[in-house]
Amino acid sequence: MKIVGIAACTAGIAHTYIAKEKLIQAAKDRGHQIQIETQGLAGTQDTLAAKAIEQADIVVIAADIKISGKERFKGKRLVEIPTSLVVKSPNKLIEKLEEMIK
């Protein structure tokens, strides 16, 4: 499965990057490709390429704030979840994504 997404928390510091790393690790552990953009105090980092979005099977937005650029995902399967749930249960999230794609 190919996953793209955005991580963004209120402060744009800790939870943003923890959620990103947990998502990446959980997806890779299950053999999936994943790219996560971050949005926060440092601005947007690791911006998703249009081609990556086009090829993605599903989009994950792990955010506690309004993110910018959401229109890029029009027509894609989209899952929105708070960063705290990603931090607590990244493997369960990946399992649910797998079920959605079946």
Side-chain angles (χ1 to χ4, degrees):
M1 175 169 59
K2 291 183 181 180
I3 306 164
V4 295
I6 296 175
C9 69
T10 308
I13 305 172
H15 280 90
T16 298
Y17 298 102
I18 294 169
K20 176 183 179 175
E21 291 307 314
K22 292 220 178 227
L23 273 172
I24 289 171
Q25 191 61 53
K28 287 184 176 182
D29 286 350
R30 296 181 69 91
H32 303 300
Q33 295 178 20
I34 185 167
Q35 293 180 354
I36 301 293
E37 172 181 305
T38 59
Q39 294 183 13
L41 289 177
T44 300
Q45 296 178 323
D46 300 320
T47 303
L48 297 169
K51 185 169 184 158
I53 295 168
E54 179 185 320
Q55 294 176 345
D57 298 304
I58 198 158
V59 177
V60 176
I61 297 179
D64 305 319
I65 58 171
K66 183 176 180 180
I67 55 116
S68 61
K70 194 172 172 181
E71 67 281 350
R72 298 175 284 172
F73 309 120
K74 187 173 181 161
K76 289 289 184 184
R77 289 183 190 199
L78 182 71
V79 174
E80 295 187 66
I81 186 168
T83 58
S84 61
L85 290 178
V86 174
V87 170
K88 289 177 189 169
S89 302
N91 294 316
K92 281 199 185 286
L93 174 60
I94 298 299
E95 288 173 20
K96 287 196 183 280
L97 299 179
E98 290 170 343
E99 290 173 16
M100 291 176 68
I101 296 301
K102 284 183 186 177

